[in-house]
Amino acid sequence: MGMTSRSPYRIPRAQALIAFESAARHGNFTLAATELGTSQSAVSRHIGQLETWLSVRLFQRSRGGATLTDAGERFREGVFTGLAAIHRGAVEATELSNAGQVVIGCSHEASHSFIMLRYGALQKELGEDVRIRILTYYNHIKNLPAEPAADILLTWDAAAAAPEDRVVALKEAVRPVCSPAYAAEHEGVLSGPVAGWSELTLLDLLRPNEGWATWEDWFAAAGQPAGTTRRLGLDSYTYVLQAAAAGRGVALGWRQFIERFLEDGTLVTLGEGFVEFDRAYFGVLTATGRRNPLARRCLAFFELD
């Protein structure tokens, strides 16, 4: 008995189905074309081919858009279900191929000044054969890139996460830091009250941040300068610490972010100690991470002792 070359599935081409799904969702061929990065005529051609293939009209066209017919509504149900199943299968297959991998999503600052200081210990905890990927983003970007999906997020905002899916990675505690040379140069001011700090240059972030304490927060707890402070604004907290180490001024140092600078002597602490705030930096398990056994071990690693 010979093998048949015919597929058991009689379905239209994938491009036509995707064009139909987008047009049905938007109710407009032009919007569908914009979403798919093609032309309105190409979408219209795909829909026409589908209607010919099915021998039924799927849309009622008008100047205001396109409305599904009864047959179009029924076809949409099948197309939506089928494409969703294909997408789900693709995600699950990708997860299986990444079974020995953990992806951590965090800001550039956290990657450079927090994770990388602990990278070796994390690799030892998870196993040398586990691949650790760091997916970084800028603080002002609220949505992480879609691929690869993160298993763990490091964030100030964990309100939406279930208690069992989050840990406190650090509690916010800050104090001023500067280079030894800057401290020696301004010893007279720094040995006195904070009221005299208007003579110093304070290193600051130019853009809004996720949740970091500001100089105003620290001054509210430690005392106010008598005059207007000089500020040097930088785009990244990483740059703020580097500028402080280079002797450009005084920075606010987060306890867990300045460890290596204090250890190697490039920064020294100022003031009477760390000022603690109620805010915390969390490790959060994502929906993808819940399906990755390694992710919960990674989450536990970041939990503050």
Side-chain angles (χ1 to χ4, degrees), residues 98-105 115 118-134 151-152 285 289 292-303:
N98 293 334
Q101 171 178 282
V102 173
V103 182
I104 303 169
I115 292 181
R118 296 157 177 80
Y119 192 91
L122 177 58
Q123 186 74 76
K124 184 177 180 180
E125 173 68 23
L126 298 179
E128 294 299 326
D129 58 336
V130 174
R131 184 184 185 192
I132 302 171
R133 299 188 65 181
I134 311 299
D151 297 301
I152 302 287
L285 197 67
N292 183 351
L294 289 169
R296 197 166 289 280
R297 287 173 56 192
C298 182
L299 184 70
F301 174 85
F302 286 117
E303 186 169 10

Side-chain angles (χ1 to χ4, degrees), residues 22 28-41 43:
S22 183
N28 188 289
F29 288 7
T30 301
L31 292 178
T34 300
E35 179 179 78
L36 299 175
T38 187
S39 65
Q40 187 272 343
S41 61
V43 171

Side-chain angles (χ1 to χ4, degrees), residues 136-152:
T136 57
Y137 62 95
Y138 290 101
N139 290 336
H140 65 280
I141 299 177
K142 299 303 181 184
N143 297 316
L144 287 170
E147 297 295 343
D151 297 301
I152 302 287

Side-chain angles (χ1 to χ4, degrees), residues 226-243:
T228 302
T229 58
R230 295 193 297 271
R231 304 287 181 103
L232 174 60
L234 297 149
D235 286 325
S236 161
Y237 185 62
T238 300
Y239 299 157
V240 168
L241 290 182
Q242 291 174 345

Side-chain angles (χ1 to χ4, degrees), residues 266-279:
T266 53
L267 290 177
V268 295
T269 57
L270 307 172
E272 299 300 321
F274 285 93
V275 174
E276 297 186 356
F277 298 91
D278 292 334
R279 294 182 291 264

Side-chain angles (χ1 to χ4, degrees), residues 16-266:
L17 294 176
I18 292 171
F20 169 80
E21 186 277 334
S22 183
R25 180 159 36 85
H26 289 292
N28 188 289
F29 288 7
T30 301
L31 292 178
T34 300
E35 179 179 78
L36 299 175
T38 187
S39 65
Q40 187 272 343
S41 61
V43 171
S44 182
R45 184 172 63 255
H46 284 309
I47 301 303
Q49 291 170 348
L50 272 178
E51 291 177 327
T52 300
W53 191 86
L54 293 166
S55 299
V56 69
R57 195 170 185 81
L58 299 173
F59 288 95
Q60 294 289 352
R61 281 80 158 171
S62 68
R63 289 185 178 180
T67 305
L68 287 169
T69 63
D70 290 342
E73 289 283 2
R74 178 64 62 87
F75 187 57
R76 177 178 66 170
E77 293 176 11
V79 171
F80 280 20
T81 301
L83 291 178
I86 293 170
H87 174 73
R88 184 170 60 253
V91 170
E92 291 174 357
T94 300
E95 288 173 358
L96 284 174
S97 69
N98 293 334
Q101 171 178 282
V102 173
V103 182
I104 303 169
C106 63
S107 67
H108 286 271
E109 290 87 345
S111 171
H112 183 81
S113 301
F114 184 69
I115 292 181
M116 296 314 297
L117 300 183
R118 296 157 177 80
Y119 192 91
L122 177 58
Q123 186 74 76
K124 184 177 180 180
E125 173 68 23
L126 298 179
E128 294 299 326
D129 58 336
V130 174
R131 184 184 185 192
I132 302 171
R133 299 188 65 181
I134 311 299
L135 176 63
T136 57
Y137 62 95
Y138 290 101
N139 290 336
H140 65 280
I141 299 177
K142 299 303 181 184
N143 297 316
L144 287 170
E147 297 295 343
D151 297 301
I152 302 287
L153 295 181
L154 296 181
T155 177
W156 291 100
D157 183 11
E164 65 271 18
D165 291 338
R166 69 187 184 202
V167 299
V168 174
L170 66 85
K171 293 180 180 177
E172 190 169 44
V174 299
R175 69 184 302 177
V177 294
C178 68
S179 70
Y182 194 89
E185 181 183 354
H186 299 276
E187 182 180 5
V189 173
L190 293 172
S191 62
V194 175
W197 279 32
S198 55
E199 298 182 24
L200 304 175
T201 297
L202 303 182
L203 305 173
D204 209 351
L205 287 169
L206 283 173
R207 53 182 171 74
N209 56 71
E210 289 181 299
W212 312 99
T214 65
W215 275 110
E216 284 65 35
D217 294 329
W218 188 82
F219 286 137
Q224 295 288 340
T228 302
T229 58
R230 295 193 297 271
R231 304 287 181 103
L232 174 60
L234 297 149
D235 286 325
S236 161
Y237 185 62
T238 300
Y239 299 157
V240 168
L241 290 182
Q242 291 174 345
R248 300 292 302 278
V250 180
L252 273 183
W254 273 258
R255 194 195 322 257
Q256 288 88 346
F257 282 37
I258 60 175
E259 292 170 350
R260 70 178 177 89
F261 291 94
L262 299 180
E263 289 173 358
D264 63 21
T266 53

